[in-house]
């Protein structure tokens, strides 16, 4: 059977925790007492058998099949019982009885039958023996043992059958549960799980994250899980310019397709750190300005993680002042070296809810809110609220 490497990777990444920590329970191994047994039932160790010898009550006895599969009968000797039906065992005992006894019909009754079982051993939630249900597979056994605490690729798995051991690929079993890799179990099978020792590495995270620091990682740590440990990415992060410094080598990592566009990027998802790596998340250098009759006229970052509309820009700048003339608001935008004015219809945005009028801000845009009674923005509109330093770009506010 062929497997798609890409599909296999995605399947493992998207594997749900509820699957990994399966909580389904199965009755642990215990003697079972059916109402009636079939003549063709195969005897196993720990079965309880009643032997009756006609006209020789002193030879009537109840015995338990030993772990070696044998029973020992008074005056009749030792017999192999495990693996035989009652009829075949009775016939064998009868042959021996006929050699020394007269008129001694032998009767074999199964009084208590232990169902076949399998054993699950290792770091599962509830290791131990379990009743073997017909058709039971490896994943069923893991579910019966209440699951594994981590992802399947954190473990090795061996199947011990008839004293022979074979390795099973646990990751493929989870990824392809309907395939032959999810083997059907047989009586007395033993599943042995061992956790793989993880190599620990220290990686430093710098820049636009919630908690810049040095973190301990392992071969399971991805770029996204490490960023999560570091408190996530801030609004001012430049997702397209993230990089890893590994010695003198710089490894660029464009996170935008994964985080913003929701794409599957194998280069990001499969990236693994080495000890001493430095993950840097720089800030954006794209900005816009809001000037004039607003509460906080300033220069603002234009984030990569989200879009900024003219209404967002107005709100980020503290909203309009009482003298603001929203009907005369414009955006100064430079396209191909030429500056154009784009009228902003705040009335349609705020009162009519017209989304098409809520223009997206672009890098280096300037949103100007003039004062009522004036034809446009004046020097006092610029210098009075924000000061000369802000105009020159020394005061920059983020969202």
């Amino acid at each position: 059977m062929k497997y798609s490497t890409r599909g296999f990777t995605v399947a493992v990444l998207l594997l749900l925790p509820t699957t990994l920590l399966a909580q389904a329970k199965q009755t642990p191994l215990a003697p079972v007492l059916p109402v009636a047994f079939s003549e063709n039932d195969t005897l196993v160790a720990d079965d309880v058998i009643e032997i009756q010898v006609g006209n020789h009550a002193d030879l009537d006895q109840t015995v338990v099949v030993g772990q070696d599969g044998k029973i020992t009968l008074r005056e009749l000797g030792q017999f192999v019982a495990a693996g035989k039906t009652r009829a075949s065992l009775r016939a064998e005992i009868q042959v021996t009885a006929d050699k020394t006894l007269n008129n001694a019909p032998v009767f074999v009754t199964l009084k208590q039958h232990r169902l076949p079982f399998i054993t699950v051993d290792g770091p599962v939630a509830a290791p131990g023996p379990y009743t073997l249900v017909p058709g039971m597979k490896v994943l069923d056994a893991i579910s019966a043992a209440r699951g594994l605490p981590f992802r399947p690729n954190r473990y090795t798995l061996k199947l011990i059958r008839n004293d022979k051991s074979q390795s099973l690929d646990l990751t493929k079993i989870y990824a392809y549960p309907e395939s032959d890799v999810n083997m059907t179990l047989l009586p007395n099978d033993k599943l042995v799980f061992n956790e793989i020792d993880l190599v620990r590495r220290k990686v430093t995270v710098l820049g636009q994250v919630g908690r810049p620091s040095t973190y301990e990682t392992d071969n399971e740590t991805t770029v996204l899980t490490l960023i999560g440990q570091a408190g996530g990415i801030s609004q001012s992060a430049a997702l397209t310019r993230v990089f890893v410094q590994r010695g003198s080598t710089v490894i660029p990592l464009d996170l935008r397709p994964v985080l913003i566009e929701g794409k599957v990027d194998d280069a990001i998802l499969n990236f693994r750190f080495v000890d001493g790596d430095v993950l840097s998340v720089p800030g954006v250098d794209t900005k816009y300005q809001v000037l004039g009759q607003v509460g906080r006229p300033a220069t603002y970052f234009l984030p990569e993680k989200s879009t900024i509309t003219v209404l967002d820009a107005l709100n980020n700048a503290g909203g309009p002042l009482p003298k603001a003339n929203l009907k005369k608001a414009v955006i100064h935008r430079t396209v191909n070296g030429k500056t154009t004015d784009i009228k902003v219809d705040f009335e349609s945005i705020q009162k009519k809810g017209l989304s098409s009028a809520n223009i997206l801000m672009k890098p280096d845009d300037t949103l100007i809110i003039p004062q009522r009674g004036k034809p446009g923005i004046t020097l006092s509109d610029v210098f009075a609220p924000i000061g000369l330093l802000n105009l020159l770009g020394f005061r920059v506010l983020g969202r």
Side-chain angles (χ1 to χ4, degrees):
M1 180 174 181
K2 295 182 179 180
Y3 305 103
S4 165
T5 303
R6 182 180 179 85
F8 171 71
T9 302
V10 174
V12 172
L13 286 168
L14 298 179
L15 206 57
L16 294 175
T18 52
T19 302
L20 296 175
L21 302 175
Q23 296 298 314
K25 296 182 180 179
Q26 184 181 20
T27 305
L29 176 64
V32 180
L33 298 174
V35 176
F37 298 106
S38 167
E39 188 70 25
N40 295 321
D41 282 339
T42 300
L43 300 173
V44 297
D46 294 332
D47 278 355
V48 180
I49 305 172
E50 184 179 69
I51 307 295
Q52 293 177 303
V53 182
N55 303 313
H56 297 274
D58 59 315
L59 296 182
D60 292 349
Q61 53 198 294
T62 299
V63 294
V64 178
V65 179
Q67 293 300 311
D68 60 359
K70 298 178 181 180
I71 59 173
T72 301
L73 303 179
R74 292 192 303 273
E75 297 187 22
L76 297 175
Q78 192 174 76
F79 300 87
V80 175
K84 296 178 180 178
T85 64
R86 284 182 290 151
S88 61
L89 178 61
R90 187 204 66 78
E92 187 176 333
I93 298 173
Q94 187 69 66
V95 169
T96 300
D98 289 344
K99 293 178 180 179
T100 57
L101 303 173
N102 294 320
N103 192 22
V106 175
F107 303 92
V108 176
T109 304
L110 180 59
K111 302 295 291 182
Q112 183 170 296
H113 183 45
R114 174 172 259 182
L115 293 176
F117 66 94
I118 54 97
T119 303
V120 184
D121 192 18
V124 289
Y130 288 88
T131 300
L132 178 63
V133 176
M136 190 177 196
K137 294 179 179 291
V138 173
L139 283 181
D140 299 322
I142 296 173
S143 176
R146 303 184 192 176
L148 294 162
F150 303 113
R151 292 178 181 272
N153 57 352
R154 287 280 298 271
Y155 305 93
T156 61
L157 171 60
K158 291 188 181 298
L159 170 64
I160 300 175
R161 177 177 290 174
N162 299 326
D163 296 325
K164 295 182 179 179
S165 175
Q166 66 180 107
S167 296
L168 304 182
D169 191 326
L170 187 59
T171 302
K172 285 187 177 180
I173 290 173
Y174 270 93
Y176 306 101
E178 302 301 323
S179 72
D180 294 339
V181 294
N182 188 20
M183 296 177 61
T184 300
L185 299 176
L186 301 179
N188 302 316
D189 277 353
K190 185 175 183 178
L191 295 173
V192 181
F193 296 88
N194 283 295
E195 188 172 353
I196 298 171
D197 290 333
L198 297 178
V199 178
R200 302 292 177 180
R201 311 173 180 97
K202 288 187 176 180
V203 178
T204 301
V205 185
L206 301 177
Q208 301 299 312
V209 293
R211 295 184 296 273
S213 185
T214 298
Y215 293 87
E216 191 174 74
T217 68
D218 53 46
N219 56 341
E220 288 292 293
T221 304
T222 67
V223 176
L224 301 185
T225 56
L226 180 57
I227 287 174
Q229 284 181 265
I233 289 179
S234 71
Q235 283 289 335
S236 56
L239 301 179
T240 57
R241 297 191 291 116
V242 175
F243 66 93
V244 169
Q245 184 79 41
R246 181 172 293 171
S248 59
T249 303
V250 174
I251 306 171
L253 299 173
D254 184 356
L255 301 187
R256 184 178 177 83
V258 174
L259 295 181
I260 304 302
E261 301 169 18
K263 294 181 179 179
V264 175
D265 188 335
D266 290 340
I268 299 299
L269 299 178
N270 296 330
F271 183 87
R272 292 299 181 269
F273 296 97
V274 302
D275 192 53
D277 276 354
V278 177
L279 174 64
S280 292
V281 184
V284 292
D285 53 12
T286 52
K287 303 165 187 174
Y288 68 93
Q289 284 187 316
V290 183
L291 302 179
Q293 296 297 307
V294 292
R296 294 186 299 273
T299 300
Y300 293 84
F301 288 115
L302 193 62
E304 289 187 4
K305 290 184 67 176
S306 59
T307 57
I308 299 293
T309 66
V310 288
L311 187 57
D312 294 327
L314 180 63
N315 292 332
N316 292 341
L321 295 178
K323 294 183 179 181
N325 187 354
L326 294 180
K327 293 183 179 180
K328 296 291 184 178
V330 295
I331 293 176
H332 283 341
R333 176 172 296 171
T334 301
V335 179
N336 298 325
K338 295 182 179 180
T339 300
T340 60
D341 286 348
I342 303 171
K343 184 178 179 181
V344 179
D345 188 355
F346 277 108
E347 183 176 355
S348 294
I349 298 171
Q350 296 175 314
K351 295 182 179 180
K352 300 179 182 178
L354 190 59
S355 58
S356 60
N358 199 12
I359 303 168
L360 293 179
M361 300 292 289
K362 292 188 177 182
D364 300 321
D365 275 358
T366 301
L367 174 61
I368 299 176
I369 311 296
Q371 182 177 330
R372 284 198 307 270
K374 295 183 180 181
I377 193 165
T378 66
L379 287 177
S380 61
D381 291 322
V382 173
F383 286 97
I386 63 176
L388 178 59
L389 291 179
N390 181 54
L391 182 63
L392 295 175
F394 288 94
R395 180 184 174 206
V396 178
L397 303 178
R399 276 191 81 186

